[in-house]
Amino acid sequence: MSPAAAIVAKGIFKQFDGNAVLKGVNFELAQGEIHALVGQNGAGKSTLMKVLNGTHQPDQGSLSIFGQPASFSSTGAARARGIAMVYQELSLVPTMSVADNIFMNNWIVVGGLLDAEAMRAATLRLLEKVGVANEISPDQLVESLSMGQRQLVEIAKALSSEARIIILDEPTASLSDQEIERLFVAIRRLQSEGVSLIYITHYLRDIFKICDRVSVLREGRCVQQWAVSETSVPQLVAAMLGEAVARQTNWQRATTETPPAATPLLEVENLVTSHLDEVSFKVYPGQVVGLAGLLGSGRTEILNAIFGLDPLQSGQIRINGRAVRIQSPAQAIAHGINLVPEDRRSQGLILDFSVLDNLWLCSLRQLTNPVFIDQNRAAEVAHALVKRLQVKTAGIEQAVRYLSGGNQQKVVIGKCLHTQAKILLLDDPTFGIDLAAKHEIMHIVNEYVQQGNAVVFVSSEYSEIASFCDTTYIVKKGRIAAQLAATTEERLLAAVQ
Amino acid sequence: MDIAIKRTALPLSLGQWQHLIIYFVFVGLFVFFSVFLHDKGFLEAGNLMNIARQTAMISIMAVGMTFVLSAAEIDLSFGAVVALSAVTVALLLPYGIWIAVPAALGVGALCGLINGLFVAKVGIPSFLVTLGMTGIITGITRWVTELQTIPVDHETFAFIFGSGDIGPISVLFIWMMVIAAGGHVLLRKTSFGKEVLASGGNKISAMYSGINVNRVKLYVLVLNATLAALAGILYAGRLQSARYTLGESDLMMVIAAVIIGGTSLFGGKGTVVGALIGALIMGMVNNGLVLMGLNVDQQLILRGIIIIFAVTLTMGTLRKKKKA
C-alpha cells in the first residue's frame, strides 16, 4: 500500500445557525498530489477548507493527517501539523518587506531582538524553493510586487511554517496568463518536494493543466471524484450543477443589427489618458459592446475614463451625437452614464448600509422632496427594484453585508438602473458569483438593452463576451487591437494573448 | 395599497441590542443616582434643570461631532473655536447683538472652512489640519484678549444665550433640544445626511455613486465649527464673560458622548439621538459626582473610568460581530 493519505476527512458535518453547510463530506488528499476542489458558490468549499485548517471545528466527522487522527482547536494547531492555507484575499502587509511578511507570525528572535540576517537568509531559501529568488529580494516591500509575485510570496510564507499540506484558494483569480504559468511552475516544484496541495478554483481549464485529481462538492457533499485524465470540463460542470445541467454558459442573446443611419448612443473618439492610447468605439441603442482583454490590458481603464474617474488628456466622448465633458462620476451620472465597478464590495456598495439605502445612493437628489428624502417613494422604488431584480434579502432594511455575492451585485446594478441611465458600463459584473445569479444578472442586462439602452461590457469570462456581445473590441496595452463581430470563446482567447 | 417601510417584529439581534445598551446605561445611572443621592437632592427639578444647563453646550458640540465622525473625519480644533467665538461675541457686544452674534458664528464657520479646504482641496488628513488649527486659533484668542477675561454686560444677550429661564425651563435646554432635533432630521431625513454616512462608510463607493465626497467633508467641518461657535456664544451668555480657556476641557467630553451614543469612530454609522443621550450621561455623571462630594481630582479619575466602561459596553459587542 502507498503511504498513509495526507488528509482523510470522513463524514464531516458543519452547520451555522441551523444552516447545514457541510452534510457529511468525505474527502481524501493523497501524499504528494495536487487535488482540485470545485463546486458552485455555496457548495461548501471554503467551509470544508476552514475545517481542515482549524478555523472551524466540525460538528461531526473525523479527520486524520498522515494516518494520525487529528482535531484542530485553532489554525495554529493545524499549522503545527503542517497544514497552511493561502487565502484568496492575500494576507500580506503591503508596507512591510517580504522577509517581515514571511516571518510575521514566527519571528526569529535572538536574546529578545529580531535576527534580521537569519530571517533574510531563511527568506532567500524559501524564495528559492518557490523559484523566484532571482527576482524577488527579501528586503523588497510587498507593495512593489505584482499580484502574481505576491501570490508566490504568500506560498513561501506557507512554506516557512514547514507546511506539508498547502491549500490554495483561487490562486489564479487575479493573475495574468504569464503569471499563472509561473505559479504552476512553482506548484510543480513543491509537488516534487513532496508537498501535497489542495487547489480550489472556478477556472475549470486550469485543473487540466496542473492537477492530478479533482473532487466536486455540491450542496455540502462530495459528489464526485475523478483522476483528471478521466474527466472533462462538461463532465465537471454537469457534476457541479447537478439537476441544473440545462443552464449552460451560452446566453443566446439575439444580436442586434446596427441600423446604418442611427446615431450612436455613446461614441468615444481617440481617448487618451495616462493608461489609454487613442481608444475609439461606438455603441448604438440596443447594443452590447464587449471589451475583451487580459487583466491590466486597459479594459477597466476605458470604463474609468468614460465615467470621469481618469482625466482625459485628449479625445472626445459623445452622447447621442453631442459632445460632453465628463470630469467626475457625478457628471457622468448626470449625463445618463453609470458604472457597475469591478469590485462590488469596495467600489459599488456601502456594506453597512441597508439594501434600501444602497439602492438610492446614486439618485439621492432625485428622491429629495425640496428638503427631505421622500421615504415612501424611496421604499416603493426599492421594493420594485428588489422584485424586478429578484434580490434575495430578508427585507429592504437588511444590511447588504449579509447578502451573497450575486445578490450584492444585483443591488449594485439596481442602484445604477435607478438613475435612469441610458448607458451602462459593466466591469466584470459576474465575477465570483454562482451560475444561477449569473444567469439572472445577464437576463436583467439583456432586458435593459432591449429597451433601447446601451451597454459596454467587460468580462474575464470569454464565453460570456462571445455569446452576449453584438460586437467585441480586443484591448491590449491600452489600445484597441481589433474589432470582432460575432465570435467564439476560442477565437477571443487566441485574440487577447 | 401603499408600501411603507415596516420593520418586522423579529426578536432583536445582537447588533440591535448594542444600540439599545446606551439607553439602559442612561436609565440605570439615573436610577442609581436617584436612589443613592436622593437625600442630596438629585431628583429635585432644580437639580435636573442644572444637569440640562451643564450638558447643553456639550450636546450641541456633540451634534456637530456626530456628523464629522460619521463622515470618517475628526475635528480637534472645536474647543479652540469655542473660546474664539465666545471672546468675539463678548468683544463685539457693545456694537449690538445683531453684529456680535453673527460675527461670532461667522468666525466659527470661517475656521471650519479653513479646516475643510485643507482637508478637501489639499488632501491633508483632518487630524493634522485641525491639530494645527487648534494652535493657531488658541494663539489668536490669547493674543486678542491679552489673557484677560472679557465681561459681558448685555441683559438681552445673556437672557437669550444662556442665563434666561422661560418658566421653569432654561433657554439652554431649549437650544439643546432645537439643535439636536435639527441635527437628527438633517442626518436621517435629508440626502445630505445620507451622503455624510455614505462618504464615511465607503469613500470609494460613495464617489462612484456620484457623491462629491470632498464637498461633504468640507460641509461637515464647517457645520461642526459653526456649532462649536454657537456653544461658545452660549458659554459667554451663561457665564456673562468670555475667556481664552473656554472649551479647553470639552474635547474628551464631546468625543466620549458621541462614541458612547453609538457613532462609529471609523465613519459610516452615526446617531444624533445617541450623542444627545451620551452627553446627558456625561452631564449626569458630573452632577452626581459633585453631589457625592468628591473633589475635582477624584471626579476626573471616576469620570475617566466611567467613560471607558461605557465605551466598552457599547463597542464590545461590535468587535465580536466583526470577528465572526
Side-chain angles (χ1 to χ4, degrees):
Chain A
M1 235 346 249
S2 53
I7 297 179
V8 178
K10 277 204 184 115
I12 303 288
F13 274 88
K14 178 74 191 170
Q15 62 163 23
F16 295 100
D17 306 324
N19 254 332
V21 178
L22 300 179
K23 305 169 187 165
V25 173
N26 296 312
F27 177 78
E28 190 185 306
L29 175 70
Q31 274 197 39
E33 76 164 340
I34 305 175
H35 194 128
L37 188 69
V38 300
Q40 289 201 66
N41 288 348
K45 286 175 299 187
S46 17
T47 308
L48 177 60
M49 290 308 112
K50 284 180 177 167
V51 166
L52 295 182
N53 87 344
T55 308
H56 297 322
Q57 284 69 50
D59 300 331
Q60 276 178 53
S62 69
L63 270 183
S64 75
I65 308 297
F66 297 112
Q68 303 289 316
S71 85
F72 303 133
S73 53
S74 69
T75 51
R79 214 178 301 125
R81 294 284 292 268
I83 301 180
M85 181 151 178
V86 177
Y87 286 97
Q88 198 176 344
E89 307 92 29
L90 303 179
S91 62
L92 303 174
V93 181
T95 51
M96 294 177 81
S97 74
V98 171
D100 284 349
N101 266 289
I102 285 180
F103 286 95
M104 191 68 74
N105 250 331
N106 48 349
W107 305 102
I108 301 178
V109 180
V110 175
L113 296 175
L114 293 176
D115 186 345
E117 229 7 83
M119 288 193 287
R120 248 193 120 255
T123 302
L124 211 52
R125 277 198 303 279
L126 291 168
L127 292 174
E128 244 158 53
K129 262 193 184 172
V130 188
V132 287
N134 51 355
E135 64 170 294
I136 300 177
S137 140
D139 304 321
Q140 223 174 330
L141 295 187
V142 165
E143 62 191 355
S144 69
L145 303 177
S146 71
M147 284 312 282
Q149 290 173 321
R150 289 183 199 194
Q151 190 73 252
L152 295 169
V153 169
E154 189 84 32
I155 292 173
K157 182 178 174 181
L159 289 175
S160 76
S161 57
E162 307 280 317
R164 291 149 74 203
I165 299 168
I166 295 182
I167 304 168
L168 298 170
D169 189 6
E170 291 279 0
T172 59
S174 47
L175 305 191
S176 70
D177 284 10
Q178 292 90 325
E179 288 179 318
I180 291 173
E181 280 312 316
R182 295 254 317 282
L183 177 72
F184 286 173
V185 171
I187 291 177
R188 285 198 196 94
R189 275 178 88 112
L190 295 178
Q191 185 185 23
S192 68
E193 293 189 14
V195 176
S196 318
L197 295 108
I198 299 175
Y199 185 99
I200 302 174
T201 190
H202 274 118
Y203 296 88
L204 301 181
R205 276 169 216 293
D206 290 353
I207 294 170
F208 296 88
K209 294 186 199 148
I210 185 80
C211 299
D212 303 310
R213 282 201 294 169
V214 52
S215 292
V216 180
L217 276 192
R218 190 176 76 223
E219 288 162 13
R221 290 190 185 84
C222 188
V223 291
Q224 281 283 4
Q225 196 176 82
W226 282 293
V228 163
S229 56
E230 289 164 8
T231 185
S232 63
V233 171
Q235 227 176 354
L236 285 177
V237 171
M240 282 162 64
L241 296 180
E243 294 304 307
V245 200
R247 294 201 294 235
Q248 277 295 337
T249 45
N250 186 356
W251 314 99
Q252 294 176 332
R253 206 177 72 80
T255 45
T256 323
E257 284 298 315
T258 308
T263 320
L265 189 47
L266 171 71
E267 183 178 5
V268 302
E269 197 176 80
N270 301 328
L271 287 194
V272 179
T273 71
S274 50
H275 305 284
L276 300 179
D277 192 10
E278 304 273 315
V279 169
S280 305
F281 61 86
K282 295 172 187 171
V283 195
Y284 291 90
Q287 219 186 17
V288 180
V289 163
L291 298 177
L294 298 171
L295 204 88
S297 60
R299 51 183 207 195
T300 295
E301 286 74 11
I302 294 177
L303 301 188
N304 287 351
I306 300 172
F307 198 56
L309 289 162
D310 289 342
L312 298 187
Q313 286 162 10
S314 67
Q316 243 184 12
I317 299 172
R318 276 192 281 273
I319 295 173
N320 268 327
R322 218 163 45 83
V324 293
R325 264 165 70 82
I326 296 173
Q327 288 168 314
S328 68
Q331 288 174 4
I333 292 170
H335 280 113
I337 302 177
N338 218 326
L339 170 76
V340 174
E342 199 174 8
D343 184 342
R344 57 183 167 264
R345 294 172 67 86
S346 74
Q347 301 169 328
L349 295 168
I350 298 183
L351 292 174
D352 287 323
F353 270 32
S354 64
V355 171
L356 174 73
D357 284 352
N358 270 291
L359 280 173
W360 68 22
L361 208 55
C362 281
S363 37
L364 280 170
R365 304 276 170 193
Q366 287 173 26
L367 287 169
T368 304
N369 218 353
V371 183
F372 302 116
I373 294 172
D374 187 340
Q375 306 269 359
N376 285 332
R377 221 187 97 214
E380 218 171 287
V381 172
H383 275 294
L385 276 170
V386 164
K387 207 171 150 202
R388 173 171 159 205
L389 305 180
Q390 299 181 25
V391 182
K392 287 181 197 73
T393 166
I396 56 175
E397 292 288 327
Q398 170 93 341
V400 292
R401 181 185 290 284
Y402 304 110
L403 301 187
S404 72
N407 285 306
Q408 288 181 344
Q409 190 67 298
K410 287 181 190 171
V411 172
V412 179
I413 293 175
K415 178 184 100 166
C416 294
L417 294 181
H418 187 206
T419 59
Q420 318 290 330
K422 301 289 291 171
I423 301 162
L424 208 50
L425 313 173
L426 302 174
D427 197 349
D428 222 345
T430 63
F431 179 78
I433 60 185
D434 66 77
L435 275 177
K438 268 186 195 184
H439 271 267
E440 285 166 17
I441 283 172
M442 302 305 275
H443 184 74
I444 294 161
V445 174
N446 194 24
E447 224 176 61
Y448 171 80
V449 171
Q450 278 171 352
Q451 293 159 2
N453 300 306
V455 166
V456 182
F457 186 81
V458 165
S459 174
S460 50
E461 288 196 31
Y462 301 117
S463 63
E464 262 178 32
I465 294 193
S467 60
F468 198 74
C469 296
D470 299 302
T471 182
T472 303
Y473 293 86
I474 306 294
V475 188
K476 270 186 210 173
K477 296 189 178 145
R479 313 180 65 111
I480 301 278
Q483 182 186 359
L484 309 173
T487 184
T488 63
E489 187 181 359
E490 285 70 28
R491 281 180 56 197
L492 277 178
L493 266 171
V496 296
Q497 301 301 325
Chain B
M1 242 191 69
D2 64 333
I3 309 158
I5 312 169
K6 289 225 172 69
R7 278 158 224 270
T8 40
L10 291 170
L12 294 173
S13 73
L14 203 64
Q16 284 163 311
W17 275 115
Q18 179 207 328
H19 291 305
L20 292 180
I21 281 178
I22 174 78
Y23 300 100
F24 291 127
V25 170
F26 179 71
V27 173
L29 272 173
F30 188 80
V31 171
F32 176 83
F33 284 134
S34 304
V35 172
F36 286 92
L37 294 173
H38 186 71
D39 48 343
K40 301 259 171 65
F42 178 81
L43 266 180
E44 280 165 25
N47 187 53
L48 293 182
M49 194 43 73
N50 241 338
I51 294 177
R53 229 174 251 131
Q54 286 157 358
T55 314
M57 279 67 111
I58 298 293
S59 305
I60 288 168
M61 289 184 270
V63 171
M65 189 52 73
T66 301
F67 281 83
V68 175
L69 291 182
S70 296
E73 297 295 331
I74 184 83
D75 184 352
L76 302 176
S77 68
F78 69 86
V81 172
V82 167
L84 180 60
S85 140
V87 165
T88 306
V89 84
L91 285 173
L92 293 181
L93 264 180
Y95 302 97
I97 196 168
W98 289 106
I99 291 176
V101 171
L105 289 174
V107 163
L110 182 69
C111 292
L113 187 68
I114 296 171
N115 283 336
L117 286 175
F118 273 98
V119 171
K121 301 289 175 199
V122 190
I124 303 175
S126 51
F127 182 89
L128 294 174
V129 174
T130 58
L131 192 61
M133 280 296 281
T134 307
I136 297 172
I137 298 168
T138 306
I140 292 173
T141 314
R142 292 168 63 113
W143 185 32
V144 169
T145 60
E146 293 170 326
L147 309 188
Q148 298 302 305
T149 302
I150 316 292
V152 165
D153 190 15
H154 193 301
E155 259 180 47
T156 320
F157 171 81
F159 182 88
I160 300 173
F161 292 99
S163 303
D165 289 307
I166 297 171
I169 296 170
S170 160
V171 289
L172 284 173
F173 181 75
I174 297 172
W175 276 110
M176 171 171 88
M177 295 315 285
V178 167
I179 296 294
H184 176 75
V185 169
L186 187 63
L187 189 64
R188 285 273 166 262
K189 307 281 180 195
T190 70
S191 54
F192 175 71
K194 291 288 175 194
E195 290 183 3
V196 168
L197 290 166
S199 302
N202 184 343
K203 202 168 79 178
I204 307 276
S205 292
M207 195 251 294
Y208 275 60
S209 300
I211 293 169
N212 189 334
V213 175
N214 282 331
R215 198 172 54 199
V216 168
K217 288 181 184 174
L218 183 97
Y219 285 176
V220 294
L221 287 169
V222 171
L223 174 68
N224 188 47
T226 309
L227 286 177
L230 175 61
I233 294 170
L234 296 177
Y235 270 125
R238 177 167 155 241
L239 305 172
Q240 304 199 8
S241 69
R243 194 172 161 73
Y244 67 96
T245 50
L246 281 174
E248 233 173 24
S249 56
D250 290 343
L251 185 70
M252 176 180 84
M253 295 272 279
V254 169
I255 293 183
V258 176
I259 301 293
I260 289 173
T263 295
S264 165
L265 249 182
F266 313 106
K269 283 181 192 164
T271 147
V272 169
V273 178
L276 179 65
I277 299 290
L280 285 172
I281 288 177
M282 302 300 295
M284 206 159 65
V285 166
N286 277 347
N287 181 268
L289 296 181
V290 173
L291 291 188
M292 279 178 184
L294 300 181
N295 66 35
V296 177
D297 314 347
Q298 294 164 326
Q299 285 178 36
L300 268 174
I301 294 171
L302 259 175
R303 204 162 64 194
I305 292 173
I306 290 170
I307 288 175
I308 294 176
F309 179 70
V311 172
T312 310
L313 262 184
T314 49
M315 286 182 74
T317 38
L318 188 80
R319 219 185 55 235
K320 264 181 235 149
K321 199 176 75 187
K322 284 243 163 90
K323 261 188 175 172

